[in-house]
Amino acid sequence: GKGADIGCGKRSPLVDSIRVDIDKKVEPDYIAKGDDLPFSDGELDYISAVHNFEHYDNQKEVLIEWLRCLKKGGIIAIVHPDVNFTKIQKAPSDNPSLRDNPYNKHFHEHSQESFMVQLGEWSDLGFRVVDHGVACGGWSFYVIIKKI
């Protein structure tokens, strides 16, 4: 199906994904923010976001936008760093990665448990969680969401 990798960076998990990022240096197919995607309502079958969702201050609005772009039955796959493993992000003065690239800022840091609680608070948005678990050797977790 047709899908987009949001916050693609220099890689995409699926070769045929439409690559979307706000950083033009990574040469995405579209330069766009995750809360304002260049897709029509119901245009996509899936959205993947690997280590991207934590970079949004307005996560609920981002999820609403992603759901808007999906067909009914469409899938959102999120891989998110687990704060129990990665710890709280250091300030730019102590974090060369963040100092060198301000797009790396984490607005929200979650464990799998706290992220599932947050999603539960948003259950009225028209989705259900179909799977979740440990990813990347424990330093991340994944959540698979289906639009209903």
Side-chain angles (χ1 to χ4, degrees), residues 71-124:
K71 297 175 182 173
K72 186 174 181 180
I75 297 292
I76 297 172
I78 296 172
V79 177
H80 195 295
D82 190 325
V83 71
N84 290 331
F85 186 92
T86 60
K87 307 303 179 206
I88 299 292
Q89 187 180 53
K90 294 178 182 177
S93 59
D94 298 320
N95 185 338
S97 173
L98 184 55
R99 190 171 50 244
D100 295 343
N101 185 350
Y103 298 128
N104 284 337
K105 179 174 176 48
H106 292 186
F107 285 93
H108 298 276
E109 303 194 75
H110 286 285
S111 66
Q112 184 178 172
E113 295 77 19
S114 69
F115 194 70
M116 295 306 295
V117 168
Q118 178 174 279
L119 289 175
E121 293 170 357
W122 301 339
S123 61
D124 62 328

Side-chain angles (χ1 to χ4, degrees), residues 29 35 58 62-64 66 79 86 89 98 111 136 140 147:
D29 298 317
D35 60 356
N58 56 339
V62 169
L63 185 57
I64 290 168
W66 294 2
V79 177
T86 60
Q89 187 180 53
L98 184 55
S111 66
C136 304
S140 300
K147 181 176 179 177

